[in-house]
Amino acid sequence: FDALGWLGDTYCGPGWNFEGIKCADKDGAIAYYQKAAAAGITDVMIHLGNIACGDSWQLDSVLHCLDQAGGKLWFEKSALAGNGNGMALLGKLYWMYYEDEKACSWFRKALASDTIGDISRQTVTRWLLSCPK
């Protein structure tokens, strides 16, 4: 994470995290997050995807993503850059829109990644139980 990402976090406010808990000043945060994403910071790409999907979007929720195209764009950029959490969230997005084969593929990639967090790993492991072997 870099200084631009931290500045974006200050605009979102306390409690903001990877799971998309409500961001207080989305416009201010997005301005800094986009600069950090342009510099290749993959965690910030996830933040942009979470903002696109909406305040109720969380890693373990079953709610829909409000801006599917925007969420997919940022989760995919993060995933393709090797971020395990981005892979997990991209898989979740595919899963929620009934693209099970793509979802399961991204879940497997996320679990094989050494960049996925422990909480994400536990959640994705549960999701993978619904995938065909």
Side-chain angles (χ1 to χ4, degrees):
F1 218 65
D2 71 347
L4 292 169
W6 290 115
L7 282 169
D9 284 352
T10 63
Y11 279 89
C12 280
W16 173 250
N17 61 30
F18 276 111
E19 296 184 359
I21 305 302
K22 186 174 178 137
C23 178
D25 180 355
K26 291 177 187 169
D27 293 336
I30 287 170
Y32 285 103
Y33 287 155
Q34 285 178 333
K35 291 176 185 177
I41 308 299
T42 59
D43 290 341
V44 169
M45 295 172 191
I46 292 171
H47 287 339
L48 287 165
N50 284 331
I51 289 172
C53 282
D55 295 334
S56 61
W57 170 263
Q58 295 182 12
L59 183 63
D60 62 352
S61 77
V62 294
L63 300 174
H64 70 282
C65 176
L66 296 177
D67 176 2
Q68 182 181 1
K72 181 178 182 259
L73 169 84
W74 288 110
F75 295 145
E76 189 171 58
K77 284 184 179 206
S78 178
L80 292 174
N83 187 300
N85 292 312
M87 294 173 196
L89 289 167
L90 182 59
K92 174 190 175 185
L93 194 65
Y94 280 125
W95 189 265
M96 294 174 75
Y97 292 98
Y98 306 102
E99 296 185 55
D100 298 353
E101 191 173 311
K102 288 180 183 178
C104 294
S105 174
W106 281 109
F107 294 157
R108 288 183 184 97
K109 289 175 186 175
L111 290 174
S113 168
D114 61 354
T115 60
I116 189 172
D118 289 337
I119 294 172
S120 298
R121 183 174 299 281
Q122 292 169 7
T123 301
V124 174
T125 299
R126 270 197 330 267
W127 292 343
L128 197 56
L129 294 175
S130 299
C131 290
K133 301 289 180 219

